[in-house]
Amino acid sequence: MTASAPSDDVDPTLEPDVFSRACASRGVLQDATSRWGLLALVALREGELRFSALRRRVDGVSERMLSSTLQSLERDGFVVREVLQAIPPRVEYSLTELGADVAERLDGLIDLVEGRLPDVEKAREAYDAR
């Protein structure tokens, strides 16, 4: 993938504002908080993982989707892809310092959602009963 040129309508002197349509942080936020991005980042908090192990950990993701997700996360500076010289060649993924910071916060969000799941289920039942 090649980096796209900055848009002519974006002022690079402006501070990031995710609520602004033209803010580059929206794309980064999308990569980190997509279903597979979030799960891959948090799974990598456990340590370096080979592609196949990461795919098993992130149950339900296709090989193609995980590959695409990891490329986006690597491009954003969250993940490092390391090719190890072995037969057959092995590829391992790990978090960068930035990726570890993001993954820690996402893990907190997962903990919150999992811990409050009974409340969510109640809310859904009430909504569906209307």
Side-chain angles (χ1 to χ4, degrees):
M1 285 186 194
T2 59
S4 58
S7 174
D8 292 335
D9 61 343
V10 176
D11 182 351
T13 64
L14 294 177
E15 299 237 352
D17 177 7
V18 76
F19 293 102
S20 172
R21 170 184 7 202
C23 185
S25 65
R26 279 191 180 185
V28 177
L29 192 60
Q30 172 61 38
D31 291 342
T33 61
S34 69
R35 176 187 343 182
W36 305 122
L38 181 146
L39 294 174
L41 285 168
V42 174
L44 286 169
R45 286 192 76 206
E46 299 167 9
E48 292 178 351
L49 290 172
R50 291 175 55 189
F51 183 88
S52 57
L54 184 55
R55 185 163 177 233
R56 282 190 301 275
R57 181 72 177 112
V58 181
D59 190 31
V61 67
S62 71
E63 187 172 314
R64 183 174 182 204
M65 182 54 70
L66 182 58
S67 178
S68 173
T69 298
L70 289 168
Q71 286 174 356
S72 295
L73 295 174
E74 183 180 13
R75 182 171 182 257
D76 291 337
F78 298 143
V79 170
V80 173
R81 178 182 186 267
E82 185 178 3
V83 179
L84 304 172
Q85 298 303 317
I87 299 176
R90 290 177 34 182
V91 177
E92 288 186 347
Y93 294 88
S94 60
L95 295 174
T96 63
E97 185 178 330
L98 173 61
D101 285 348
V102 171
E104 180 180 354
R105 286 164 176 80
L106 294 173
D107 197 20
L109 178 61
I110 288 172
D111 287 345
L112 174 66
V113 170
E114 287 179 339
R116 299 296 301 265
L117 197 54
D119 297 325
V120 171
E121 290 170 346
K122 265 189 199 174
R124 286 179 171 181
E125 288 173 11
Y127 180 89
D128 292 346
R130 292 194 275 168

